[in-house]
Amino acid sequence: MKKSLFKAAGLAIIIMFALNGCKKDDPIPDKVAPLVSTGKQIIYFKTVMPAVTGIIDTVNKTISVSVPSGTTLTSLATDISLAAGHTISPASGVAQNFTNPVTYTITRPNKTTTAWIVTVKYADIAVDANITTATTWTSDKTYLVSGDIYVDNTLTIQPGTVIKFAAGASLTFGYYSNTTLIANGTANNPIIFKSTALLPTAGAWEGLYFYDKTLNNTSLAFCNIQHAGGNTDRGAINLYNCDIAINNCNISNSGAFGIYTTYANNKGGFVTFAGNTINTPAKYGIVLDAQKISTIGTGNTFTNAKGVLITGDFRSTTAQIWKNLGLPYIVNSEVDIDGNLTIEAGTTFKFDANGWIVVGYYSTTTFIADGTSTSPITFTSTAIAPTAGAWIGITFYPLTLTNSKMNYCVVDFAGSNAQNGAVNLQGSSIIFTNNTIRNSAAYGILLDEASGFQAFNNNTINTCVKHLISISTKHLPELGVPNTFTAGTGKGIEVSGNVRYTSPVIWKKQTVDFYITGGELDIDGDLTIEAGSKFLFVDDSYFYFGYYATTKVTAIGTASTPILFTSAASSPVAGTWPGFHFASFVMSNSALTYCKFTYSGLNNKPAIYTEKSFPVNNCSILLSGSTNKAEYQTGAAPTGTGNDFTWVEN
């Protein structure tokens, strides 16, 4: 009998090996380990006294227990129910000190382990009355704010504290009496300001309000302000004429602005503001007065924010810097800049239709916008698809100091005032180098007679409805080279006004034509006109040289690059503009060489009339409307050869 059983068992083993492709002599395989259960490891986790059931988060392996306020946390017994075959350490029923989170280790049937973090905190503490005495909120409690609560004394919030807000609730500081908020969390234990909603949306509660009796020792550090901004006209944090410190905080999902401020008595900004993260897709990240823009520090991150809205004007007796924030400053009206202000390289300004910047109108001002070739400073429109004239422009007034500078700046889509330019100079002179102006609905740059440049070179101006530059003859020599100018038909550099130069100057050749306007332009002094220059005279405009002071005119072109003087008319005819008059103060060492005059002779005036003798060589006068193309006063016959006209004494 036993032999039969052994034989049957042996036969079964042989069959098993055959079915599994094993040879008779192969070792018997080990048993297959049981699968790890994917179900619940912990059925429930309770404290015994008081009897409270914790909330189990199976994803993050955490358990949260909220016990009544006043419960002793240093020795709480537990009641833990586990899945079959699981064990836990510390064991169920063993009292624990839950002052800080406790790690529990669960061992599965296959001896693998999982760590769970158990946190015991006091249940929500209702905050439903105003705070008028010094108060501390501790991290072992969660505070529930319902309604509008006013804080008018010192409130200290410990790191790790959670404050929940019912719909429409808020905390208001410093409205009635001097107040300090100290809410300094840490990187590992931030202070949380959040909604009571299980699935909150942007604007689930109102926010934090700080009024003018808030003291400047108020500090928020490592605070997370989530889903505030229920008042769409305000922000998650609101500062009314007070200064506070905000550092390493996170403002997210505001239903309105991130931070909203108002300014008075030099207050309404930040004592310090660094290392913060603001995520506010609804509106601007910060609304801040121009006086306080420089209080925005470094290391801040803005995501899904539309920009920083500048309100008010900048008038400061101390030098300040507006930093490159990585998102644009928004200008929706006139912003006056008076004082000493520097704009960091890479900064972007965006302007609404009524936005513009006014520099040096009320007090002496140094304005430094010094970009780089790789990090230019950009002034442009807020429009998604802007067109020329989408905003007004930038204007420098007489109190702008000559050390003011625009360097590697881009001015785009300005010039909405057809009488002005994208950039305007009124009684001022600045350094203007390496800049780009384009898409102006008016002039590129408009200067009044008293305005010019301390330096002007390497600039690019194109796509302007009017002339690229409008400048006086007095300041025309300040246009340096090289510049890259591209003008539409009939446009270029507009020149007007009389001048008496007190030192030698050069009118440098540019890549567009000069348009002379304003009738008779009296030119006195030592003037050189570069070869290849082209001057187009509007209507009856012309040059009158040497009437008031000793004058030397040197206009020497070459055979391949002559200097051209002609009409600005779109379809000129002979006699469209008058011509040149050289008066008695013109010096005999003046010279015209390879100059070409066309369409002159308006009112039968010669293209050239001179009261003094000087050399004229290889010049031509074509399509003249005058009886005599060139005339000289008796005794002042010019010298020279190679001209295609005959001089007539008159």
Side-chain angles (χ1 to χ4, degrees):
M1 181 70 177
K2 291 181 179 179
K3 288 182 179 179
S4 299
L5 289 173
F6 282 119
K7 286 181 180 179
L11 179 60
I13 293 171
I14 292 170
I15 293 171
M16 181 184 71
F17 282 134
L19 290 175
N20 288 278
C22 297
K23 295 180 180 180
K24 181 180 177 182
D25 295 332
D26 286 346
I28 298 175
D30 293 336
K31 293 180 179 180
V32 178
L35 297 175
V36 177
S37 172
T38 58
K40 287 185 177 180
Q41 297 176 351
I42 301 177
I43 306 303
Y44 61 75
F45 187 105
K46 300 178 181 179
T47 57
V48 177
M49 292 186 62
V52 177
T53 301
I55 298 173
I56 300 172
D57 182 344
T58 58
V59 175
N60 297 305
K61 299 294 186 292
T62 61
I63 300 172
S64 300
V65 184
S66 295
V67 297
S69 179
T71 299
T72 300
L73 302 182
T74 55
S75 182
L76 279 178
T78 61
D79 177 10
I80 308 170
S81 176
L82 303 175
H86 292 64
T87 60
I88 191 167
S89 177
S92 175
V94 176
Q96 293 295 317
N97 182 352
F98 285 101
T99 303
N100 295 307
V102 176
T103 299
Y104 279 78
T105 301
I106 291 180
T107 302
R108 301 183 181 92
N110 69 343
K111 306 307 180 183
T112 59
T113 61
T114 304
W116 288 72
I117 305 298
V118 178
T119 302
V120 178
K121 285 193 173 184
Y122 293 124
D124 294 352
I125 302 297
V127 181
D128 51 12
N130 295 336
I131 298 172
T132 57
T133 59
T135 301
T136 297
W137 288 354
T138 56
S139 60
D140 56 355
K141 302 178 180 68
T142 298
Y143 296 84
L144 174 59
V145 179
S146 57
D148 299 321
I149 302 301
Y150 285 74
V151 181
D152 287 285
N153 208 302
T154 299
L155 173 62
T156 302
I157 304 177
Q158 289 184 345
T161 303
V162 176
I163 304 97
K164 295 181 179 180
F165 293 80
S170 63
L171 286 175
T172 297
F173 300 88
Y175 190 86
Y176 293 107
S177 59
N178 290 344
T179 300
T180 296
L181 170 65
I182 302 298
N184 292 335
T186 67
N188 294 325
N189 285 296
I191 297 169
I192 310 296
F193 298 85
K194 60 187 292 187
S195 168
T196 57
L198 292 177
L199 297 172
T201 56
W205 57 286
E206 276 211 16
L208 307 177
Y209 293 80
F210 298 88
Y211 279 85
D212 56 353
K213 290 183 175 59
T214 302
L215 301 180
N216 64 6
N217 62 340
T218 291
S219 174
L220 283 79
F222 291 104
C223 294
N224 294 341
I225 299 95
Q226 305 166 359
H227 299 101
N231 183 338
T232 56
D233 293 327
R234 295 295 181 264
I237 296 177
N238 302 273
L239 309 180
Y240 294 93
N241 314 333
C242 62
D243 293 338
I244 70 173
I246 303 177
N247 298 291
N248 300 300
C249 292
N250 188 322
I251 301 172
S252 60
N253 295 301
S254 172
F257 303 103
I259 301 175
Y260 180 90
T261 72
T262 64
Y263 175 85
N265 301 318
N266 200 33
K267 292 183 178 180
F270 309 113
V271 176
T272 55
F273 188 92
N276 300 292
T277 299
I278 298 181
N279 182 329
T280 54
K283 291 191 174 182
Y284 300 118
I286 303 175
V287 178
L288 192 60
D289 192 273
Q291 291 287 89
K292 290 293 184 176
I293 291 293
S294 63
T295 64
I296 300 177
T298 59
N300 301 294
T301 301
F302 296 85
T303 59
N304 297 317
K306 297 180 180 179
V308 172
L309 179 64
I310 300 176
T311 61
D313 301 314
F314 175 85
R315 294 173 188 169
S316 177
T317 57
T318 58
Q320 295 188 24
I321 298 174
W322 288 1
K323 299 171 187 66
N324 176 12
L325 304 179
L327 83 167
Y329 293 104
I330 307 298
V331 179
N332 63 4
S333 61
E334 177 183 325
V335 173
D336 291 345
I337 306 297
D338 293 277
N340 189 329
L341 178 63
T342 296
I343 310 297
E344 276 192 348
T347 301
T348 295
F349 292 82
K350 290 189 175 182
F351 296 79
D352 287 346
N354 294 321
W356 62 312
I357 287 178
V358 173
V359 180
Y361 188 87
Y362 292 101
S363 60
T364 54
T365 299
T366 296
F367 178 83
I368 304 294
D370 196 1
T372 68
S373 59
T374 55
S375 295
I377 297 169
T378 302
F379 302 87
T380 189
S381 167
T382 56
I384 296 174
T387 56
W391 59 287
I392 297 173
I394 304 170
T395 300
F396 295 88
Y397 280 96
L399 293 176
T400 303
L401 298 179
T402 56
N403 62 338
S404 294
K405 175 194 296 186
M406 291 183 70
N407 181 49
Y408 284 110
C409 295
V410 177
V411 182
D412 211 354
F413 299 108
S416 61
N417 186 333
Q419 305 306 312
N420 292 335
V423 175
N424 303 277
L425 277 68
Q426 301 289 316
S428 57
S429 178
I430 67 172
I431 300 166
F432 198 88
T433 52
N434 301 298
N435 299 304
T436 297
I437 299 176
R438 61 195 178 207
N439 299 308
S440 172
Y443 296 95
I445 306 175
L446 178 67
L447 303 92
D448 69 0
E449 188 174 358
S451 297
F453 300 103
Q454 297 297 304
F456 186 97
N457 51 65
N458 293 309
N459 298 296
T460 298
I461 307 178
N462 57 55
T463 323
C464 298
V465 172
K466 293 193 172 183
H467 291 291
L468 305 184
I469 303 174
S470 180
I471 193 168
S472 69
T473 53
K474 178 180 180 181
H475 295 282
L476 182 57
E478 295 163 11
L479 297 184
V481 292
N483 298 292
T484 303
F485 296 146
T486 306
T489 303
K491 307 301 178 186
I493 298 172
E494 184 179 65
V495 181
S496 62
N498 306 317
V499 65
R500 188 178 299 180
Y501 297 120
T502 57
S503 60
V505 299
I506 300 173
W507 289 355
K508 301 171 189 68
K509 179 185 179 301
Q510 302 296 337
T511 57
V512 292
D513 303 332
F514 297 98
Y515 284 75
I516 310 304
T517 185
E520 178 185 310
L521 275 64
D522 294 326
I523 311 294
D524 295 274
D526 188 338
L527 169 65
T528 296
I529 301 175
E530 281 193 342
S533 297
K534 184 177 179 181
F535 296 82
L536 287 73
F537 292 82
V538 178
D539 299 329
D540 61 348
S541 298
Y542 68 103
F543 290 147
Y544 201 113
F545 295 103
Y547 184 82
Y548 293 102
T550 300
T551 298
K552 177 186 177 184
V553 180
T554 304
I556 299 179
T558 68
S560 59
T561 56
I563 300 172
L564 178 62
F565 304 98
T566 188
S567 168
S570 57
S571 300
V573 296
T576 304
W577 66 286
F580 287 0
H581 191 119
F582 294 88
S584 58
F585 281 109
V586 171
M587 299 178 67
S588 60
N589 60 347
S590 295
L592 300 181
T593 302
Y594 283 109
C595 292
K596 185 177 181 179
F597 296 80
T598 60
Y599 302 109
S600 62
L602 179 65
N603 298 326
N604 203 36
K605 292 182 179 293
I608 305 173
Y609 182 87
T610 181
E611 300 175 23
K612 294 292 292 287
S613 175
F614 60 88
V616 178
N617 294 286
N618 300 304
C619 292
S620 61
I621 300 174
L622 304 174
L623 302 169
S624 173
S626 62
T627 303
N628 300 321
K629 293 182 178 181
E631 299 179 0
Y632 63 90
Q633 185 173 289
T634 301
T639 61
T641 61
N643 302 306
D644 71 351
F645 55 87
T646 302
W647 288 98
V648 176
E649 183 179 11
N650 186 358

